[in-house]
PDB file of all heavy atoms in Angstrom:
ATOM      1  N   ALA I 495       4.476 -10.557   7.788  1.00  0.00           N
ATOM      2  CA  ALA I 495       5.124  -9.246   7.902  1.00  0.00           C
ATOM      3  C   ALA I 495       5.228  -8.809   9.367  1.00  0.00           C
ATOM      4  O   ALA I 495       6.216  -8.231   9.787  1.00  0.00           O
ATOM      5  CB  ALA I 495       4.357  -8.198   7.089  1.00  0.00           C
ATOM      6  N   ARG I 496       4.196  -9.119  10.129  1.00  0.00           N
ATOM      7  CA  ARG I 496       4.199  -8.748  11.529  1.00  0.00           C
ATOM      8  C   ARG I 496       5.289  -9.466  12.311  1.00  0.00           C
ATOM      9  O   ARG I 496       5.844  -8.948  13.284  1.00  0.00           O
ATOM     10  CB  ARG I 496       2.841  -9.058  12.138  1.00  0.00           C
ATOM     11  CG  ARG I 496       2.552  -8.352  13.470  1.00  0.00           C
ATOM     12  CD  ARG I 496       1.234  -8.835  14.063  1.00  0.00           C
ATOM     13  NE  ARG I 496       0.104  -8.588  13.171  1.00  0.00           N
ATOM     14  CZ  ARG I 496      -0.553  -7.453  13.139  1.00  0.00           C
ATOM     15  NH1 ARG I 496      -0.202  -6.439  13.911  1.00  0.00           N
ATOM     16  NH2 ARG I 496      -1.603  -7.313  12.326  1.00  0.00           N
ATOM     17  N   GLU I 497       5.639 -10.659  11.879  1.00  0.00           N
ATOM     18  CA  GLU I 497       6.656 -11.450  12.574  1.00  0.00           C
ATOM     19  C   GLU I 497       8.083 -11.139  12.100  1.00  0.00           C
ATOM     20  O   GLU I 497       9.035 -11.503  12.774  1.00  0.00           O
ATOM     21  CB  GLU I 497       6.377 -12.945  12.361  1.00  0.00           C
ATOM     22  CG  GLU I 497       5.084 -13.448  13.019  1.00  0.00           C
ATOM     23  CD  GLU I 497       5.126 -13.240  14.523  1.00  0.00           C
ATOM     24  OE1 GLU I 497       6.161 -13.554  15.143  1.00  0.00           O
ATOM     25  OE2 GLU I 497       4.080 -12.778  15.064  1.00  0.00           O
ATOM     26  N   ALA I 498       8.198 -10.437  10.971  1.00  0.00           N
ATOM     27  CA  ALA I 498       9.513 -10.149  10.413  1.00  0.00           C
ATOM     28  C   ALA I 498      10.246  -9.085  11.215  1.00  0.00           C
ATOM     29  O   ALA I 498       9.640  -8.314  11.968  1.00  0.00           O
ATOM     30  CB  ALA I 498       9.380  -9.737   8.959  1.00  0.00           C
ATOM     31  N   ASP I 499      11.575  -9.039  11.042  1.00  0.00           N
ATOM     32  CA  ASP I 499      12.361  -7.995  11.691  1.00  0.00           C
ATOM     33  C   ASP I 499      12.227  -6.654  11.002  1.00  0.00           C
ATOM     34  O   ASP I 499      12.370  -5.604  11.622  1.00  0.00           O
ATOM     35  CB  ASP I 499      13.847  -8.406  11.718  1.00  0.00           C
ATOM     36  CG  ASP I 499      14.100  -9.610  12.597  1.00  0.00           C
ATOM     37  OD1 ASP I 499      13.861  -9.519  13.812  1.00  0.00           O
ATOM     38  OD2 ASP I 499      14.548 -10.634  12.074  1.00  0.00           O
ATOM     39  N   ALA I 500      11.945  -6.666   9.708  1.00  0.00           N
ATOM     40  CA  ALA I 500      11.702  -5.456   8.933  1.00  0.00           C
ATOM     41  C   ALA I 500      10.954  -5.848   7.664  1.00  0.00           C
ATOM     42  O   ALA I 500      10.924  -7.019   7.284  1.00  0.00           O
ATOM     43  CB  ALA I 500      12.994  -4.725   8.600  1.00  0.00           C
ATOM     44  N   ILE I 501      10.384  -4.846   6.995  1.00  0.00           N
ATOM     45  CA  ILE I 501       9.585  -5.101   5.806  1.00  0.00           C
ATOM     46  C   ILE I 501      10.138  -4.231   4.692  1.00  0.00           C
ATOM     47  O   ILE I 501      10.271  -3.006   4.841  1.00  0.00           O
ATOM     48  CB  ILE I 501       8.115  -4.762   6.062  1.00  0.00           C
ATOM     49  CG1 ILE I 501       7.576  -5.633   7.192  1.00  0.00           C
ATOM     50  CG2 ILE I 501       7.302  -4.971   4.782  1.00  0.00           C
ATOM     51  CD1 ILE I 501       6.313  -5.074   7.840  1.00  0.00           C
ATOM     52  N   LEU I 502      10.468  -4.858   3.581  1.00  0.00           N
ATOM     53  CA  LEU I 502      10.955  -4.166   2.389  1.00  0.00           C
ATOM     54  C   LEU I 502       9.855  -4.260   1.335  1.00  0.00           C
ATOM     55  O   LEU I 502       9.470  -5.346   0.910  1.00  0.00           O
ATOM     56  CB  LEU I 502      12.256  -4.809   1.900  1.00  0.00           C
ATOM     57  CG  LEU I 502      13.157  -4.001   0.993  1.00  0.00           C
ATOM     58  CD1 LEU I 502      13.600  -2.697   1.683  1.00  0.00           C
ATOM     59  CD2 LEU I 502      14.392  -4.807   0.603  1.00  0.00           C
ATOM     60  N   LEU I 503       9.360  -3.098   0.906  1.00  0.00           N
ATOM     61  CA  LEU I 503       8.208  -3.057   0.029  1.00  0.00           C
ATOM     62  C   LEU I 503       8.495  -2.212  -1.203  1.00  0.00           C
ATOM     63  O   LEU I 503       8.975  -1.084  -1.090  1.00  0.00           O
ATOM     64  CB  LEU I 503       7.015  -2.495   0.828  1.00  0.00           C
ATOM     65  CG  LEU I 503       5.633  -2.479   0.223  1.00  0.00           C
ATOM     66  CD1 LEU I 503       4.571  -2.596   1.309  1.00  0.00           C
ATOM     67  CD2 LEU I 503       5.380  -1.213  -0.581  1.00  0.00           C
ATOM     68  N   SER I 504       8.209  -2.791  -2.364  1.00  0.00           N
ATOM     69  CA  SER I 504       8.422  -2.034  -3.588  1.00  0.00           C
ATOM     70  C   SER I 504       7.128  -1.287  -3.947  1.00  0.00           C
ATOM     71  O   SER I 504       6.178  -1.308  -3.164  1.00  0.00           O
ATOM     72  CB  SER I 504       8.811  -2.993  -4.701  1.00  0.00           C
ATOM     73  OG  SER I 504       9.381  -2.289  -5.794  1.00  0.00           O
ATOM     74  N   ALA I 505       7.121  -0.616  -5.055  1.00  0.00           N
ATOM     75  CA  ALA I 505       5.959   0.187  -5.466  1.00  0.00           C
ATOM     76  C   ALA I 505       4.749  -0.734  -5.661  1.00  0.00           C
ATOM     77  O   ALA I 505       4.839  -1.812  -6.224  1.00  0.00           O
ATOM     78  CB  ALA I 505       6.270   0.934  -6.760  1.00  0.00           C
ATOM     79  N   MET I 506       3.572  -0.267  -5.205  1.00  0.00           N
ATOM     80  CA  MET I 506       2.331  -1.034  -5.336  1.00  0.00           C
ATOM     81  C   MET I 506       1.217  -0.215  -5.909  1.00  0.00           C
ATOM     82  O   MET I 506       1.157   1.010  -5.703  1.00  0.00           O
ATOM     83  CB  MET I 506       1.930  -1.587  -3.975  1.00  0.00           C
ATOM     84  CG  MET I 506       2.707  -2.803  -3.526  1.00  0.00           C
ATOM     85  SD  MET I 506       1.878  -3.618  -2.157  1.00  0.00           S
ATOM     86  CE  MET I 506       3.022  -4.952  -1.838  1.00  0.00           C
ATOM     87  N   GLY I 507       0.309  -0.897  -6.600  1.00  0.00           N
ATOM     88  CA  GLY I 507      -0.865  -0.267  -7.171  1.00  0.00           C
ATOM     89  C   GLY I 507      -0.784  -0.156  -8.698  1.00  0.00           C
ATOM     90  O   GLY I 507       0.296  -0.044  -9.256  1.00  0.00           O
ATOM     91  N   LEU I 508      -1.921  -0.222  -9.347  1.00  0.00           N
ATOM     92  CA  LEU I 508      -2.036  -0.035 -10.793  1.00  0.00           C
ATOM     93  C   LEU I 508      -3.229   0.852 -11.084  1.00  0.00           C
ATOM     94  O   LEU I 508      -4.306   0.618 -10.510  1.00  0.00           O
ATOM     95  CB  LEU I 508      -2.166  -1.382 -11.507  1.00  0.00           C
ATOM     96  CG  LEU I 508      -0.939  -2.308 -11.442  1.00  0.00           C
ATOM     97  CD1 LEU I 508      -1.302  -3.697 -11.958  1.00  0.00           C
ATOM     98  CD2 LEU I 508       0.236  -1.739 -12.222  1.00  0.00           C
ATOM     99  N   PRO I 509      -3.100   1.868 -11.908  1.00  0.00           N
ATOM    100  CA  PRO I 509      -4.181   2.854 -12.090  1.00  0.00           C
ATOM    101  C   PRO I 509      -5.489   2.269 -12.622  1.00  0.00           C
ATOM    102  O   PRO I 509      -6.549   2.825 -12.345  1.00  0.00           O
ATOM    103  CB  PRO I 509      -3.583   3.863 -13.081  1.00  0.00           C
ATOM    104  CG  PRO I 509      -2.451   3.137 -13.749  1.00  0.00           C
ATOM    105  CD  PRO I 509      -1.906   2.197 -12.719  1.00  0.00           C
ATOM    106  N   ASP I 510      -5.427   1.159 -13.365  1.00  0.00           N
ATOM    107  CA  ASP I 510      -6.638   0.610 -13.919  1.00  0.00           C
ATOM    108  C   ASP I 510      -7.265  -0.489 -13.072  1.00  0.00           C
ATOM    109  O   ASP I 510      -8.276  -1.091 -13.471  1.00  0.00           O
ATOM    110  CB  ASP I 510      -6.375   0.106 -15.341  1.00  0.00           C
ATOM    111  CG  ASP I 510      -5.283  -0.950 -15.384  1.00  0.00           C
ATOM    112  OD1 ASP I 510      -4.472  -1.025 -14.432  1.00  0.00           O
ATOM    113  OD2 ASP I 510      -5.247  -1.718 -16.368  1.00  0.00           O
ATOM    114  N   ILE I 511      -6.661  -0.773 -11.912  1.00  0.00           N
ATOM    115  CA  ILE I 511      -7.237  -1.780 -11.010  1.00  0.00           C
ATOM    116  C   ILE I 511      -7.603  -1.056  -9.721  1.00  0.00           C
ATOM    117  O   ILE I 511      -6.737  -0.569  -8.985  1.00  0.00           O
ATOM    118  CB  ILE I 511      -6.243  -2.915 -10.731  1.00  0.00           C
ATOM    119  CG1 ILE I 511      -5.872  -3.620 -12.047  1.00  0.00           C
ATOM    120  CG2 ILE I 511      -6.851  -3.912  -9.761  1.00  0.00           C
ATOM    121  CD1 ILE I 511      -4.827  -4.681 -11.902  1.00  0.00           C
TER     122      ILE I 511
END
Side-chain angles (χ1 to χ4, degrees):
R496 197 186 301 274
E497 294 299 316
D499 293 299
I501 300 159
L502 201 58
L503 187 150
S504 196
M506 282 196 181
L508 293 170
D510 58 339
I511 300 176

